[in-house]
Amino acid sequence: AIEEMQILLEGRAGLYLQKNGATRKFVGAGPGMIIGIMPFSRFHESPGTVVVEERITMFVLHTRHFDALMREHLDLTTALVHHMLDRARNFRSAQLNDDRLQSLSRLASGFAHELNNPASAATRTAQSLTGLLDEEERPARHLAAARLTDDQLAAVDAIRGECGRGSKPRRALDAADREDAIAEWLTRHRLDVRAAQALAVSDLTMEALDRLAATVPADVAGTVIRWVASGCAARMASHQIEVATGRIHELVGAVKGFTFMDREGVPEEVDVARGLADTLAMLDGKARAKSATVHLETAPHLSRVHGFGSEINQVWEKLVDNAIDAVGPQGTVTVTASDRGDSILVRVADDG
């Protein structure tokens, strides 16, 4: 129990708290500041450990003298009460700032992880693109030297055009069956089966392959297949880079929307629906790491509110973050927003 009031005359001390498995300095005190218990103070246990950081000189008064102090020195007692209120206010402010920093640290860590995945994918694919283009160029030169007829060129252009079309999504089992079928066709025609993977991701049909085999000589067909497969692989790599950089753009947009970056710190009309969407985007990595599903349901034409957008988004972040912590694996968090009179009602519900 705390039984003394200490007035620091010189030197410094710090209050250190145990938080998240680590000891961190929370607040500091220097000359002229008062630590310990004061008259009318309601706390009797220290929230942490006081560490002397510099050699200190202090005036110490035990609580047994408080009655005489309050009875005989009313002005001093009044000053001490004001000091106690200021100290409580500063302590609460430090707590709020610490909570914000902890929240920001978690968001930054999750954002860095989310950003690293598409950035690594884009870098890795871009590095492979040069080799893919070189592989496409070699058979192209051989085709130019083959002096194909107009009909043969038309068959080559047709198969190249089918490969260039955007492919439709396929289930993993269907994609594997398609690759096996193309590999069997290539084996049957004594062609390189390594092209099967690149050809399978396109919309190339087996009929187009049969027309090619019937139109061009066998040795030229192998060159055409290598050229078409290299083109398919290069276009797929380009698409993967587009998807990865698009994801990076979305993440950066979510951060800018969440923090209201590049905007003055003045109240404005805030789009709550957009703020909720940006907040969920920031927490998407945490939800996926826990295999949790987060649903957002906002009323159409949701009203705007007047306030500080970044501070409002911090409220959503705290609520949704707590809800994700509360659910178990495969859990569900539902966020809804609707107009209610001249107010907006936002609910965050979880099944944890």
Side-chain angles (χ1 to χ4, degrees):
I2 302 175
E3 297 180 343
E4 294 176 335
M5 175 178 70
Q6 298 105 21
I7 303 175
L8 295 184
L9 303 178
E10 61 178 355
R12 297 197 63 82
L15 177 65
Y16 287 75
L17 301 183
Q18 188 79 14
K19 211 165 189 182
N20 298 327
T23 301
R24 298 185 295 108
K25 183 178 179 179
F26 194 66
V27 292
M33 298 188 68
I34 302 174
I35 59 178
I37 194 168
M38 285 188 281
F40 302 108
S41 179
R42 290 183 296 178
F43 83 95
H44 299 281
E45 298 287 342
S46 175
T49 303
V50 177
V51 177
V52 176
E53 300 173 335
E54 298 177 6
R55 183 180 178 86
I56 62 174
T57 302
M58 66 172 63
F59 173 82
V60 179
L61 184 67
H62 196 276
T63 54
R64 63 176 174 269
H65 301 296
F66 279 6
D67 289 340
L69 174 67
M70 291 184 288
R71 185 172 58 250
E72 299 174 13
H73 303 281
L74 295 179
D75 291 342
L76 178 57
T77 302
T78 301
L80 290 173
V81 169
H82 284 299
H83 189 94
M84 179 184 66
L85 294 175
D86 291 339
R87 188 175 70 174
R89 189 161 40 247
N90 293 337
F91 187 83
R92 179 56 181 162
S93 177
Q95 281 184 316
L96 292 174
N97 288 334
D98 186 71
D99 288 343
R100 291 192 185 102
L101 286 174
Q102 292 293 316
S103 175
L104 181 61
S105 176
R106 289 194 301 270
L107 285 176
S109 176
F111 176 72
H113 179 75
E114 285 294 298
L115 196 61
N116 179 67
N117 290 337
S120 297
T123 301
R124 187 169 54 251
T125 307
Q127 290 171 344
S128 69
L129 196 55
T130 301
L132 293 173
L133 293 175
D134 289 341
E135 291 176 8
E136 184 179 17
E137 185 178 342
R138 283 191 292 270
R141 286 197 298 266
H142 294 158
L143 279 178
R147 301 184 181 280
L148 301 178
T149 65
D150 290 345
D151 290 342
Q152 291 172 335
L153 287 174
V156 172
D157 287 340
I159 196 171
R160 173 78 169 189
E162 289 197 11
C163 183
R165 292 201 305 264
S167 61
K168 54 189 177 184
R170 296 184 179 91
R171 296 181 303 173
L173 186 59
D174 293 338
D177 290 343
R178 175 174 167 78
E179 184 175 340
D180 290 342
I182 293 176
E184 289 177 6
W185 187 95
L186 294 172
T187 301
R188 196 165 57 249
H189 290 80
R190 301 177 184 273
L191 300 176
D192 189 355
V193 296
R194 290 177 296 180
Q197 183 178 5
L199 296 175
V201 299
S202 71
D203 275 345
L204 181 65
T205 63
M206 303 303 294
E207 291 77 9
L209 289 173
D210 290 336
R211 283 196 301 271
L212 177 71
T215 305
V216 301
D219 59 333
V220 176
T223 302
V224 173
I225 290 297
R226 289 197 303 273
W227 180 57
V228 171
S230 298
C232 287
R235 275 187 286 273
M236 178 56 63
S238 174
H239 175 69
Q240 290 172 348
I241 293 173
E242 180 183 359
V243 171
T245 53
R247 176 59 178 161
I248 293 172
H249 183 267
E250 289 176 4
L251 289 170
V252 172
V255 172
K256 292 179 68 175
F258 178 80
T259 60
F260 278 68
M261 188 184 298
D262 303 327
R263 302 193 196 180
E264 295 183 5
V266 295
E268 59 181 294
E269 296 300 312
V270 178
D271 185 345
V272 174
R274 170 67 185 277
L276 288 169
D278 290 337
T279 301
L280 298 191
M282 294 292 294
L283 294 169
D284 181 60
K286 179 174 182 177
R288 284 192 287 107
K290 204 170 184 179
S291 299
T293 303
V294 182
H295 296 294
L296 174 61
E297 303 171 4
T298 57
H301 311 297
L302 191 66
S303 302
R304 294 172 177 256
V305 297
H306 191 72
F308 294 94
S310 60
E311 295 184 2
I312 294 174
N313 286 345
Q314 287 177 20
V315 175
W316 309 145
E317 185 274 331
K318 198 69 175 177
L319 292 172
V320 178
D321 186 57
N322 289 341
I324 295 174
D325 285 337
V327 300
Q330 311 296 328
T332 301
V333 176
T334 303
V335 182
T336 60
S338 58
D339 286 299
R340 175 165 291 188
D342 57 357
S343 303
I344 294 178
L345 177 63
V346 177
R347 288 191 177 97
V348 180
D350 63 76
D351 58 4

Short mmCIF file of all heavy atoms in Angstrom, two decimals, residues 24-59:
data_model
loop_
_atom_site.label_atom_id
_atom_site.label_comp_id
_atom_site.label_asym_id
_atom_site.label_seq_id
_atom_site.Cartn_x
_atom_site.Cartn_y
_atom_site.Cartn_z
N ARG A 24 7.51 -1.37 -19.85
CA ARG A 24 7.71 -0.13 -20.60
C ARG A 24 7.46 1.07 -19.70
O ARG A 24 6.63 1.04 -18.80
CB ARG A 24 6.76 -0.06 -21.80
CG ARG A 24 6.98 -1.16 -22.81
CD ARG A 24 6.12 -1.00 -24.05
NE ARG A 24 4.70 -1.11 -23.74
CZ ARG A 24 3.86 -0.11 -23.74
NH1 ARG A 24 4.26 1.11 -24.00
NH2 ARG A 24 2.59 -0.30 -23.47
N LYS A 25 8.21 2.14 -19.99
CA LYS A 25 7.99 3.39 -19.25
C LYS A 25 6.68 4.00 -19.69
O LYS A 25 6.41 4.16 -20.87
CB LYS A 25 9.15 4.35 -19.50
CG LYS A 25 9.03 5.64 -18.69
CD LYS A 25 10.24 6.55 -18.92
CE LYS A 25 10.10 7.85 -18.12
NZ LYS A 25 11.27 8.74 -18.31
N PHE A 26 5.88 4.38 -18.70
CA PHE A 26 4.55 4.92 -18.99
C PHE A 26 4.53 6.43 -18.85
O PHE A 26 4.12 7.15 -19.76
CB PHE A 26 3.53 4.26 -18.07
CG PHE A 26 2.10 4.47 -18.49
CD1 PHE A 26 1.64 3.90 -19.67
CD2 PHE A 26 1.23 5.22 -17.73
CE1 PHE A 26 0.33 4.09 -20.07
CE2 PHE A 26 -0.07 5.42 -18.12
CZ PHE A 26 -0.53 4.85 -19.29
N VAL A 27 4.95 6.94 -17.68
CA VAL A 27 5.03 8.39 -17.46
C VAL A 27 6.31 8.67 -16.68
O VAL A 27 6.87 7.79 -16.02
CB VAL A 27 3.80 8.95 -16.69
CG1 VAL A 27 2.55 8.87 -17.54
CG2 VAL A 27 3.61 8.21 -15.38
N GLY A 28 6.75 9.91 -16.75
CA GLY A 28 7.93 10.33 -16.00
C GLY A 28 7.60 11.49 -15.07
O GLY A 28 6.58 12.18 -15.23
N ALA A 29 8.45 11.71 -14.07
CA ALA A 29 8.25 12.80 -13.10
C ALA A 29 9.59 13.48 -12.86
O ALA A 29 10.63 12.82 -12.77
CB ALA A 29 7.68 12.27 -11.79
N GLY A 30 9.56 14.82 -12.80
CA GLY A 30 10.76 15.59 -12.57
C GLY A 30 10.58 16.57 -11.42
O GLY A 30 9.58 16.51 -10.68
N PRO A 31 11.53 17.51 -11.24
CA PRO A 31 11.45 18.47 -10.14
C PRO A 31 10.12 19.24 -10.15
O PRO A 31 9.63 19.67 -11.19
CB PRO A 31 12.63 19.40 -10.41
CG PRO A 31 13.61 18.56 -11.17
CD PRO A 31 12.77 17.67 -12.03
N GLY A 32 9.54 19.39 -8.95
CA GLY A 32 8.28 20.10 -8.80
C GLY A 32 7.05 19.22 -8.91
O GLY A 32 5.94 19.68 -8.64
N MET A 33 7.22 17.98 -9.28
CA MET A 33 6.07 17.08 -9.42
C MET A 33 5.89 16.26 -8.14
O MET A 33 6.83 16.06 -7.38
CB MET A 33 6.26 16.15 -10.63
CG MET A 33 6.35 16.90 -11.95
SD MET A 33 6.34 15.80 -13.38
CE MET A 33 4.66 15.17 -13.31
N ILE A 34 4.66 15.80 -7.95
CA ILE A 34 4.31 15.05 -6.74
C ILE A 34 3.92 13.65 -7.16
O ILE A 34 3.10 13.44 -8.06
CB ILE A 34 3.15 15.72 -5.99
CG1 ILE A 34 3.51 17.17 -5.64
CG2 ILE A 34 2.79 14.95 -4.74
CD1 ILE A 34 2.37 17.96 -5.03
N ILE A 35 4.50 12.66 -6.49
CA ILE A 35 4.15 11.27 -6.73
C ILE A 35 3.69 10.66 -5.42
O ILE A 35 3.82 11.25 -4.35
CB ILE A 35 5.34 10.48 -7.31
CG1 ILE A 35 6.54 10.52 -6.36
CG2 ILE A 35 5.74 11.02 -8.67
CD1 ILE A 35 7.72 9.71 -6.84
N GLY A 36 3.13 9.46 -5.52
CA GLY A 36 2.59 8.83 -4.32
C GLY A 36 1.16 9.26 -4.05
O GLY A 36 0.48 9.81 -4.91
N ILE A 37 0.72 9.07 -2.82
CA ILE A 37 -0.66 9.37 -2.45
C ILE A 37 -0.78 10.83 -2.02
O ILE A 37 0.18 11.45 -1.55
CB ILE A 37 -1.13 8.44 -1.31
CG1 ILE A 37 -2.65 8.51 -1.14
CG2 ILE A 37 -0.41 8.75 -0.01
CD1 ILE A 37 -3.19 7.40 -0.26
N MET A 38 -1.97 11.41 -2.24
CA MET A 38 -2.24 12.80 -1.85
C MET A 38 -3.57 12.85 -1.11
O MET A 38 -4.36 11.90 -1.17
CB MET A 38 -2.28 13.70 -3.10
CG MET A 38 -0.91 14.01 -3.68
SD MET A 38 -0.96 15.26 -4.99
CE MET A 38 -1.52 14.26 -6.36
N PRO A 39 -3.83 13.94 -0.41
CA PRO A 39 -5.11 14.07 0.29
C PRO A 39 -6.29 13.86 -0.66
O PRO A 39 -6.28 14.36 -1.78
CB PRO A 39 -5.07 15.49 0.85
CG PRO A 39 -3.62 15.78 1.01
CD PRO A 39 -2.94 15.09 -0.11
N PHE A 40 -7.27 13.10 -0.23
CA PHE A 40 -8.49 12.77 -0.98
C PHE A 40 -8.23 11.82 -2.15
O PHE A 40 -9.14 11.56 -2.95
CB PHE A 40 -9.20 14.04 -1.49
CG PHE A 40 -9.60 14.99 -0.40
CD1 PHE A 40 -8.91 16.20 -0.24
CD2 PHE A 40 -10.62 14.70 0.48
CE1 PHE A 40 -9.26 17.09 0.76
CE2 PHE A 40 -10.98 15.59 1.48
CZ PHE A 40 -10.29 16.78 1.64
N SER A 41 -7.01 11.33 -2.26
CA SER A 41 -6.72 10.38 -3.34
C SER A 41 -7.42 9.05 -3.06
O SER A 41 -7.46 8.59 -1.92
CB SER A 41 -5.21 10.16 -3.45
OG SER A 41 -4.93 9.23 -4.47
N ARG A 42 -7.95 8.43 -4.12
CA ARG A 42 -8.72 7.21 -3.95
C ARG A 42 -7.92 5.95 -4.26
O ARG A 42 -8.40 4.85 -4.05
CB ARG A 42 -9.96 7.24 -4.85
CG ARG A 42 -11.00 8.25 -4.40
CD ARG A 42 -12.24 8.20 -5.27
NE ARG A 42 -11.95 8.59 -6.65
CZ ARG A 42 -12.85 8.59 -7.63
NH1 ARG A 42 -14.09 8.18 -7.38
NH2 ARG A 42 -12.52 8.97 -8.84
N PHE A 43 -6.72 6.09 -4.78
CA PHE A 43 -5.96 4.88 -5.06
C PHE A 43 -4.90 4.66 -3.99
O PHE A 43 -4.30 5.61 -3.47
CB PHE A 43 -5.33 4.94 -6.46
CG PHE A 43 -4.03 5.68 -6.54
CD1 PHE A 43 -2.82 4.99 -6.45
CD2 PHE A 43 -3.99 7.06 -6.71
CE1 PHE A 43 -1.62 5.66 -6.53
CE2 PHE A 43 -2.79 7.72 -6.79
CZ PHE A 43 -1.59 7.03 -6.70
N HIS A 44 -4.71 3.41 -3.64
CA HIS A 44 -3.77 3.08 -2.57
C HIS A 44 -2.72 2.06 -3.02
O HIS A 44 -1.85 1.71 -2.25
CB HIS A 44 -4.53 2.53 -1.36
CG HIS A 44 -5.52 3.50 -0.78
ND1 HIS A 44 -5.16 4.54 0.05
CD2 HIS A 44 -6.87 3.60 -0.95
CE1 HIS A 44 -6.24 5.23 0.40
NE2 HIS A 44 -7.30 4.67 -0.19
N GLU A 45 -2.83 1.60 -4.27
CA GLU A 45 -1.86 0.67 -4.82
C GLU A 45 -1.27 1.27 -6.09
O GLU A 45 -1.99 1.83 -6.91
CB GLU A 45 -2.51 -0.69 -5.15
CG GLU A 45 -3.10 -1.41 -3.95
CD GLU A 45 -2.03 -2.00 -3.05
OE1 GLU A 45 -0.88 -2.15 -3.51
OE2 GLU A 45 -2.35 -2.30 -1.88
N SER A 46 0.03 1.15 -6.26
CA SER A 46 0.68 1.68 -7.46
C SER A 46 0.33 0.82 -8.66
O SER A 46 0.37 -0.42 -8.57
CB SER A 46 2.19 1.72 -7.27
OG SER A 46 2.82 2.12 -8.48
N PRO A 47 -0.01 1.43 -9.80
CA PRO A 47 -0.33 0.63 -11.00
C PRO A 47 0.90 -0.02 -11.62
O PRO A 47 0.78 -0.85 -12.51
CB PRO A 47 -0.95 1.66 -11.95
CG PRO A 47 -0.35 2.96 -11.53
CD PRO A 47 -0.16 2.88 -10.04
N GLY A 48 2.08 0.40 -11.19
CA GLY A 48 3.31 -0.16 -11.76
C GLY A 48 4.46 -0.03 -10.78
O GLY A 48 4.27 0.02 -9.56
N THR A 49 5.67 0.04 -11.32
CA THR A 49 6.88 0.14 -10.51
C THR A 49 7.54 1.49 -10.75
O THR A 49 7.77 1.88 -11.90
CB THR A 49 7.87 -0.98 -10.87
OG1 THR A 49 7.23 -2.25 -10.69
CG2 THR A 49 9.12 -0.91 -10.00
N VAL A 50 7.84 2.22 -9.65
CA VAL A 50 8.53 3.50 -9.77
C VAL A 50 10.03 3.23 -9.77
O VAL A 50 10.56 2.59 -8.86
CB VAL A 50 8.15 4.45 -8.62
CG1 VAL A 50 8.94 5.76 -8.72
CG2 VAL A 50 6.64 4.73 -8.64
N VAL A 51 10.71 3.73 -10.80
CA VAL A 51 12.15 3.52 -10.95
C VAL A 51 12.85 4.87 -10.88
O VAL A 51 12.46 5.82 -11.60
CB VAL A 51 12.47 2.82 -12.28
CG1 VAL A 51 13.98 2.68 -12.47
CG2 VAL A 51 11.79 1.46 -12.35
N VAL A 52 13.84 4.99 -10.01
CA VAL A 52 14.63 6.23 -9.92
C VAL A 52 15.61 6.26 -11.08
O VAL A 52 16.47 5.37 -11.21
CB VAL A 52 15.38 6.30 -8.57
CG1 VAL A 52 16.27 7.53 -8.53
CG2 VAL A 52 14.38 6.31 -7.42
N GLU A 53 15.48 7.25 -11.94
CA GLU A 53 16.31 7.34 -13.14
C GLU A 53 17.52 8.25 -12.93
O GLU A 53 18.53 8.10 -13.62
CB GLU A 53 15.47 7.84 -14.32
CG GLU A 53 14.31 6.91 -14.63
CD GLU A 53 13.37 7.44 -15.68
OE1 GLU A 53 13.31 8.69 -15.85
OE2 GLU A 53 12.69 6.64 -16.34
N GLU A 54 17.40 9.21 -12.06
CA GLU A 54 18.51 10.08 -11.69
C GLU A 54 18.50 10.25 -10.17
O GLU A 54 17.46 10.07 -9.52
CB GLU A 54 18.38 11.47 -12.35
CG GLU A 54 18.40 11.45 -13.87
CD GLU A 54 18.18 12.85 -14.45
OE1 GLU A 54 18.14 13.82 -13.64
OE2 GLU A 54 18.04 12.96 -15.68
N ARG A 55 19.64 10.57 -9.62
CA ARG A 55 19.71 10.81 -8.17
C ARG A 55 18.69 11.88 -7.79
O ARG A 55 18.67 12.96 -8.39
CB ARG A 55 21.12 11.24 -7.76
CG ARG A 55 21.28 11.43 -6.26
CD ARG A 55 22.71 11.87 -5.95
NE ARG A 55 22.88 12.10 -4.53
CZ ARG A 55 23.19 11.16 -3.64
NH1 ARG A 55 23.38 9.90 -4.05
NH2 ARG A 55 23.34 11.45 -2.36
N ILE A 56 17.84 11.58 -6.80
CA ILE A 56 16.75 12.49 -6.48
C ILE A 56 16.84 12.98 -5.04
O ILE A 56 17.40 12.32 -4.16
CB ILE A 56 15.37 11.82 -6.72
CG1 ILE A 56 15.18 10.61 -5.80
CG2 ILE A 56 15.19 11.43 -8.16
CD1 ILE A 56 13.79 10.00 -5.88
N THR A 57 16.26 14.17 -4.87
CA THR A 57 16.03 14.74 -3.55
C THR A 57 14.55 15.03 -3.46
O THR A 57 13.96 15.63 -4.36
CB THR A 57 16.83 16.03 -3.34
OG1 THR A 57 18.23 15.75 -3.52
CG2 THR A 57 16.60 16.60 -1.96
N MET A 58 13.92 14.59 -2.36
CA MET A 58 12.47 14.76 -2.28
C MET A 58 12.05 15.07 -0.85
O MET A 58 12.77 14.79 0.12
CB MET A 58 11.75 13.49 -2.76
CG MET A 58 11.97 12.27 -1.89
SD MET A 58 10.93 10.87 -2.35
CE MET A 58 11.51 10.53 -4.00
N PHE A 59 10.88 15.67 -0.77
CA PHE A 59 10.22 15.91 0.52
C PHE A 59 9.15 14.84 0.68
O PHE A 59 8.32 14.65 -0.22
CB PHE A 59 9.60 17.31 0.56
CG PHE A 59 8.77 17.56 1.78
CD1 PHE A 59 9.36 17.92 2.99
CD2 PHE A 59 7.38 17.43 1.74
CE1 PHE A 59 8.58 18.15 4.12
CE2 PHE A 59 6.61 17.66 2.86
CZ PHE A 59 7.21 18.02 4.06
#
